[in-house]
Amino acid sequence: MRQIDHFIVGDSPAPTRKHQVWNPSTGEIQAEVALGDAALLEKAMATARKVQPEWAATNPQRRARVMFRFKELVEANKQALAELLSSEHGKVIEDAHGDIQRGLEVIEFACGIPHALKGEYTQGAGPGIDVYSMRQPLGIGAGITPFNFPAMIPMWMFGMAIAAGNAFILKPSERDPSVPVRLAELFVEAGAPEGLLQVVHGDKEMVDAILDHPDIAAISFVGSSDIAQYIYARGTANAKRVQAFGGAKNHGIVMPDADLDQVVNDLAGAAFGSAGERCMALPVVVPVGEDTANKLREKLIPAINALRIGVSNDPDAHYGPVVTPEHKARVEQWITTAEEEGGEIVIDGRGFSLQGHEQGFFIGPTLIDRVTPQMKSYQEEIFGPVLQVVRARDFEDALRLPSEHQYGNGVAIFTRNGHAAREFASRVNVGMVGINVPIPVPVAYHSFGGWKRSGFGDIDQYGMEGLRFWTKTKKVTQRWPDGGGDGSNAFVIPTMG
Ligand code: NAD
């Protein structure tokens, strides 16, 4: 059985605990990953403490060059990385390429670190007084990442943190840990000092060790909301800087004037792509008015029935299996709950079996109509290939749904009416908005972050917000007297002896 080890400097002690890594397409266990503890973390921290000051003192152009070389190496290895990623996660190869690409775009942004790090300067803030600010790294940062984007989310975090001068400890999901390790290997190949980026595997035990370690200055977390809140509470109680991004339930509002063919096309990808295991998926559609709802439903049914489910390396598949057997059971249970709550199961994906791969964790696409805000299955995240339809009476009714939902990650509106779109974008109580864009993940030079239970903490991920998160500003007020006058304030420019 393939063994996946930590990526730290020096040998890791033999693990006392391991976690099984599935191949979701075949339903077989393909590897075991070591689960680390506080002692293992301390070993990684000892190296991080050693290498970080020198890295912080390396000028930003040199740091940027390492990021450039890393970007080139990831590109050169993209297909192999995508295959490895798909085999552990279950998403199809094209989605795996997207996962890597969206992470690489943050690395590209990080290549501009010399420019991004420039501080502010005011000459003559008072008589002979200038004020300037500089951004300095925090020291050692940590990232704790979810299973659903094993390449993108680690790169979002360590790209910005390391370019800014920090050392980084990455604790990836134990469900698909191989790609993060491969990325760390490539980072060393790119010229980064060994120990600058280390990967420690583990579950709650390792996460708690990170939360309590006195030398970790900041933690970036992405995962489910209850755990995000826990990370935020415990991390900040330990006086760390913490950003913790949580779950989501993104709505797509369909106005009566929307181009329904385009909406159906967008929904097929945004609701079912990657088997719905995206925090920016669109699992709730809100048609405005009964007429819009009926027309949309009529067009959605054949489009959903045409979706092809396949193993992760099937080039014709729209989506693959979900990540684990437990997750498959949980998603199917949510469909049952929705049915019991009075939702109309229009297309039922429970019990789906892929011929030749009967042991894989596949779920058929599911469409549930007449869902209401009182239903538990609406209030909670399902994280599977399930699209719920909540019919809204009018624009105000539609606006209220995502605004009052406990999650506030993303939302989209489909319309040809600029005024409605503008009004919606300014009033909706959600962090990221798409206008005729189903998955509005901001590009790398903007920033990513949801509201309400989708994001704990104040600072967003990547872009200039990411830079702010991984640095602290120092403010300097300076005065250089000329040494003249009666000599009491004499100032002598030192000379080299
Ligand atoms: P998860 O919360 O189960 O795991 C995330 C991380 O937390 C993993 O590294 C895991 O090892 C660790 N962890 C798990 N249980 C823990 C515990 N009890 N104590 C401490 N740490 C623990 O999330 P997941 O299932 O891997 O990922 C899916 C979730 O992530 C979904 O809710 C999804 O919406 C969310 N997500 C959010 C965003 C975003 O940007 N808001 C992006 C991607 C995924």
Side-chain angles (χ1 to χ4, degrees), residues 262-284:
Q262 184 63 49
V263 170
V264 167
N265 192 42
D266 285 350
L267 281 174
F272 301 104
S274 212
E277 294 171 319
R278 291 181 183 137
C279 68
M280 288 296 276
L282 214 52
V284 179

Side-chain angles (χ1 to χ4, degrees), residues 145-148 171 174-175 221-224 227 246-247 279 381 448:
T145 55
F147 81 86
N148 69 324
K171 205 304 285 173
E174 62 277 35
R175 287 183 250 174
F221 172 89
V222 177
S224 50
I227 299 181
C279 68
E381 181 179 46
F448 180 103

Side-chain angles (χ1 to χ4, degrees), residues 35 143-149 152-153 156 171-176 201-208 211 221-228 230-231 244-250 276-281 323 327 330 381 383 407 409 432 448-451 453-455 461:
L35 297 178
I144 300 162
T145 55
F147 81 86
N148 69 324
F149 282 98
M152 176 181 83
I153 295 178
W156 281 3
K171 205 304 285 173
S173 171
E174 62 277 35
R175 287 183 250 174
D176 47 8
H201 300 293
D203 51 15
K204 181 169 168 41
E205 186 177 350
M206 177 56 86
V207 171
D208 285 348
L211 288 167
F221 172 89
V222 177
S224 50
S225 289
D226 287 348
I227 299 181
Y230 166 74
I231 302 279
F245 299 95
K249 190 89 174 190
N250 307 322
E277 294 171 319
R278 291 181 183 137
C279 68
M280 288 296 276
V323 66
H327 193 56
R330 196 159 44 237
E381 181 179 46
F383 223 55
Y407 295 117
N409 213 35
M432 291 174 278
F448 180 103
W451 291 0
R453 286 187 65 72
S454 297
Q461 189 90 252

Side-chain angles (χ1 to χ4, degrees), residues 358-409:
E358 288 76 10
Q359 303 309 312
F361 315 140
F362 297 95
I363 304 173
T366 298
L367 179 66
I368 311 176
D369 197 357
R370 301 185 194 281
V371 171
T372 67
Q374 291 70 39
M375 295 180 184
K376 196 89 184 134
S377 64
Y378 166 78
Q379 292 158 2
E380 301 294 335
E381 181 179 46
I382 296 178
F383 223 55
V386 179
L387 178 60
Q388 294 178 297
V389 184
V390 183
R391 295 171 174 233
R393 279 188 307 278
D394 52 27
F395 175 81
E396 291 297 329
D397 195 22
L399 174 67
R400 238 183 338 263
L401 286 165
S403 296
E404 291 179 358
H405 201 280
Q406 63 164 332
Y407 295 117
N409 213 35

Side-chain angles (χ1 to χ4, degrees), residues 15 55 92 184 209-210 225 249 330 347 374 405 413 419 445 454:
W55 177 248
V92 296
I210 291 172
S225 289
K249 190 89 174 190
R330 196 159 44 237
I347 300 175
Q374 291 70 39
H405 201 280
I413 184 166
H419 177 72
Y445 41 95
S454 297

